[in-house]
Amino acid sequence: MAERNSSASSLVVISRKSFFCLFTFTSLLFIMSWFFVLRSSGRPQFIDHRLLPSSKQFFVTENDNTKTRVLDNSVGNRSILRDNKGEGGGEEEETPEKLVDVKCSAGNKQVLKVFMYDLHPEFHFELLDWKALGESVWPDIRTKIPDYPGGLNLQHSIEYWLTLDLLASELPGSTSAHSAIRVSNSSDADVIFVPFFSSLSYNRFSKVNPHQKKSRNNLLQEKLVKFLTAQPEWKRSGGRDHIVLAHHPNSMLKARMKLWPAMFILSDFGRYPPNIANVEKDVIAPYKHVIRSYLNDKSNFESRPTLLYFQGAIYRKDGGYARQELFYLLKDEKDVHFSFGSVQKGGINSASQGMHSSKFCLNIAGDTPSSNRLFDAIASHCVPVIISDDIELPYEDVLDYSQFCIFVRTSDAIKKNFLINLVRSIGKDEWTRMWKKLQEVENLFEFQYPSKEGDAVQMIWQAIARKVPSIKMKINKSRRYSPFIPHKDGDRGLSSVPTPNNFW
């Protein structure tokens, strides 16, 4: 009996040991399985992460020295570029005063490859009274560049500068750094450029002459839509990779409803429903300022006697109602200039002198959210005070406007004494900081030929380039089912998008 009890005890001990070993083994197996699950879900090994964009870093090269800049979203909803400092890529916390501005660099950027249609000259330089010789489509820019009309025409002239820049990229021996180059094969291109001077067409040819049923502007739009939608490049992408310029708010009024898949280059979205144009798909470009730049600016807080400056149309519709409200609130303030003005009778010279001698310049929404006045203020180093709730700004994905502009909600601005008290509360040191920042960023808004690093022409090309991955994704997604579904001729053509009842 004792022997049997001893055997039973031994079996119990053995079973307990076996159970403990089994439990330990199972636990280790469970922990290891979770480790591999977490590791695989955190970093899939079948994706080459070197090909993926980093959400934190933005690399630049200056003078062959590589620096790392970090996109920091800490200031409101605007991203700010700041340098990584310290060894090992460590980040140093920076105050707003230390924020680094965006700069172009020929050494680091991916050059945008652009296929440009050889449109008939009637769509572009013939609108400038240039006459083609023989079969030539483009002017010989090595000998003479057609002049663009001055005055307010200039503010929407970006189509002219971008087209010249692409033509210049083909010149042999060109030493200029280009953000975009023209390619001859559309299959090699990132985007397809449509060289229609739509703003100029509207400004000069939108009226119907007595012997015409349609204006020249409308006829050109109709011809353009017919041409584009028949091209293999348009059919291949559904127009998604096409660049269409419509910077004047009234340009492309007919064509925009048929060309809506394309990327529009606009001044704002004020006269577009969101299904036709939006910040995800399109690019906001600056106006070309019409007042003269403030060269060799030696002014300071004390030498600019006017506190707040506005000169322009006062009675506007839509979002511009705030102009007349502010006029009545500010017209009697002793150091405020708020008056009606136009480009006629020396208006541009008067505005130049006024902005150059003012500390702050009002930029109030008019018939649309944006106006050229903002870019006139930047060129004058007059700190912009922006009162336009729906405004969209150029390159705002890489440029923090709050460093050199003051934003005021319309509902606050029209409260009695709110705006004037706000502006008076900004002291010399804060104003001087913003004044210096304006001088640092003003080149980002300069249009010139030939283009130079960091000017408006190259900044627009770079803004387009940042949209290219999104364009390619949309094109690829649109092709998911196309190989297996038969299409009738014309199925991939464009149909008009219905205009909302309140569009105008």
Side-chain angles (χ1 to χ4, degrees):
M1 179 68 72
E3 225 176 89
R4 185 179 299 173
N5 290 339
S6 174
S7 299
S9 299
S10 299
L11 287 170
V12 170
V13 170
I14 291 170
S15 65
R16 284 178 178 174
K17 287 182 178 179
S18 299
F19 179 77
F20 178 76
C21 291
L22 181 63
F23 175 77
T24 304
F25 176 74
T26 304
S27 299
L28 287 172
L29 190 63
F30 178 77
I31 292 169
M32 290 178 67
S33 67
W34 269 106
F35 170 77
F36 285 111
V37 167
L38 291 173
R39 186 173 184 270
S40 64
S41 62
R43 185 178 290 272
Q45 298 304 302
F46 54 84
I47 297 178
D48 187 349
H49 288 266
R50 294 171 299 177
L51 302 179
L52 300 179
S54 169
S55 61
K56 280 291 278 184
Q57 292 182 334
F58 181 82
F59 296 99
V60 298
T61 305
E62 294 179 355
N63 299 326
D64 298 327
N65 295 320
T66 301
K67 297 181 180 179
T68 303
R69 291 182 183 173
V70 178
L71 273 170
D72 184 5
N73 296 316
S74 59
V75 181
N77 65 348
R78 294 181 169 84
S79 297
I80 303 164
L81 290 177
R82 54 187 175 84
D83 284 339
N84 259 5
K85 296 191 178 179
E87 296 181 2
E91 296 179 17
E92 180 185 15
E93 199 66 31
E94 296 192 7
T95 61
E97 287 75 19
K98 291 183 179 180
L99 292 169
V100 180
D101 292 312
V102 180
K103 293 182 180 178
C104 295
S105 175
N108 78 292
K109 61 178 180 285
Q110 186 79 23
V111 176
L112 186 71
K113 292 178 287 186
V114 183
F115 176 81
M116 180 166 64
Y117 288 117
D118 283 320
L119 287 181
H120 189 278
E122 67 177 334
F123 289 101
H124 43 81
F125 285 100
E126 269 190 12
L127 296 172
L128 293 170
D129 301 321
W130 172 75
K131 301 299 181 184
L133 297 176
E135 299 296 321
S136 63
V137 172
W138 304 106
D140 184 356
I141 58 175
R142 294 170 298 181
T143 57
K144 178 169 174 55
I145 300 170
D147 294 326
Y148 200 90
L152 288 180
N153 287 293
L154 277 173
Q155 61 183 338
H156 298 297
S157 60
I158 67 164
E159 54 215 11
Y160 170 78
W161 303 104
L162 293 179
T163 302
L164 283 176
D165 196 55
L166 286 180
L167 294 175
S169 72
E170 297 184 288
L171 294 177
S174 175
T175 57
S176 299
H178 290 279
S179 291
I181 58 170
R182 187 183 185 189
V183 296
S184 58
N185 190 333
S186 63
S187 299
D188 297 330
D190 298 310
V191 291
I192 312 296
F193 186 79
V194 181
F196 175 39
F197 290 3
S198 59
S199 296
L200 185 64
S201 178
Y202 171 77
N203 280 331
R204 301 189 78 177
F205 303 106
S206 57
K207 292 183 179 179
V208 180
N209 293 327
H211 62 282
Q212 293 178 318
K213 291 183 179 180
K214 295 181 180 180
S215 69
R216 183 177 175 185
N217 177 48
N218 282 345
L219 287 171
L220 285 174
Q221 290 181 63
E222 290 176 3
K223 290 177 70 173
L224 182 70
V225 170
K226 186 176 181 180
F227 170 83
L228 287 179
T229 54
Q231 299 309 303
E233 289 82 8
W234 183 279
K235 293 178 179 178
R236 187 171 62 208
S237 68
R240 294 175 181 87
D241 57 357
H242 282 54
I243 308 299
V244 174
L245 297 109
H247 200 254
H248 192 291
N250 291 332
S251 62
M252 301 291 284
L253 280 177
K254 292 179 68 69
R256 67 175 66 165
M257 309 305 290
K258 293 183 178 293
L259 303 181
W260 56 269
M263 181 193 297
F264 291 133
I265 312 297
L266 307 171
S267 57
D268 60 43
F269 299 117
R271 292 182 179 170
Y272 287 81
N275 57 333
I276 301 297
N278 54 74
V279 73
E280 178 188 357
K281 176 177 75 76
D282 305 305
V283 168
I284 298 297
Y287 293 66
K288 187 183 189 308
H289 65 83
V290 296
I291 70 162
R292 63 177 183 272
S293 298
Y294 199 163
L295 302 176
N296 302 315
D297 183 2
K298 304 297 183 183
S299 66
N300 55 44
F301 190 76
E302 289 81 11
S303 68
R304 289 180 175 239
T306 303
L307 176 70
L308 190 59
Y309 182 90
F310 178 89
Q311 185 165 298
I314 294 174
Y315 300 99
R316 311 303 289 174
K317 55 188 177 183
D318 300 328
Y321 76 94
R323 291 191 183 186
Q324 63 191 71
E325 297 286 334
L326 288 167
F327 170 70
Y328 293 116
L329 287 172
L330 299 172
K331 64 185 179 69
D332 295 326
E333 297 288 340
K334 62 179 182 180
D335 48 0
V336 172
H337 176 94
F338 201 121
S339 70
F340 176 83
S342 71
V343 297
Q344 298 175 350
K345 298 180 180 179
I348 292 178
N349 287 334
S350 173
S352 296
Q353 294 171 10
M355 287 186 166
H356 290 182
S357 59
S358 299
K359 297 179 179 70
F360 300 94
C361 287
L362 276 171
N363 181 71
I364 315 168
D367 293 344
T368 63
S370 69
S371 77
N372 190 55
R373 195 167 285 100
L374 169 61
F375 306 99
D376 285 343
I378 292 172
S380 304
H381 315 148
C382 179
V383 176
V385 179
I386 299 175
I387 304 170
S388 182
D389 299 343
D390 297 321
I391 196 169
E392 296 289 348
L393 298 165
Y395 348 121
E396 200 170 9
D397 54 338
V398 294
L399 184 63
D400 181 18
Y401 283 79
S402 69
Q403 295 300 299
F404 51 89
C405 296
I406 298 165
F407 293 84
V408 184
R409 293 183 179 88
T410 304
S411 58
D412 290 329
I414 60 177
K415 294 175 183 175
K416 187 176 182 179
N417 295 327
F418 181 92
L419 183 62
I420 193 66
N421 288 342
L422 173 67
V423 174
R424 291 193 195 283
S425 70
I426 299 171
K428 176 180 178 179
D429 291 344
E430 179 65 9
W431 180 87
T432 302
R433 184 190 66 78
M434 289 189 284
W435 172 76
K436 289 180 179 178
K437 188 68 67 175
L438 285 168
Q439 295 178 70
E440 294 175 17
V441 303
E442 65 176 327
N443 188 57
L444 304 177
F445 306 98
E446 288 290 343
F447 290 88
Q448 54 198 339
Y449 176 80
S451 67
K452 297 179 182 177
E453 261 186 49
D455 69 3
V457 174
Q458 298 210 16
M459 288 296 289
I460 292 170
W461 287 129
Q462 291 176 37
I464 292 171
R466 291 193 291 274
K467 301 279 189 182
V468 168
S470 175
I471 292 171
K472 291 187 181 299
M473 183 179 73
K474 290 176 183 176
I475 293 173
N476 291 340
K477 290 180 75 172
S478 73
R479 293 171 176 164
R480 287 178 177 180
Y481 304 106
S482 57
F484 310 104
I485 300 176
H487 291 274
K488 296 179 182 178
D489 289 342
D491 275 0
R492 296 190 187 184
L494 281 181
S495 58
S496 280
V497 174
T499 306
N501 292 331
N502 61 350
F503 184 50
W504 297 115

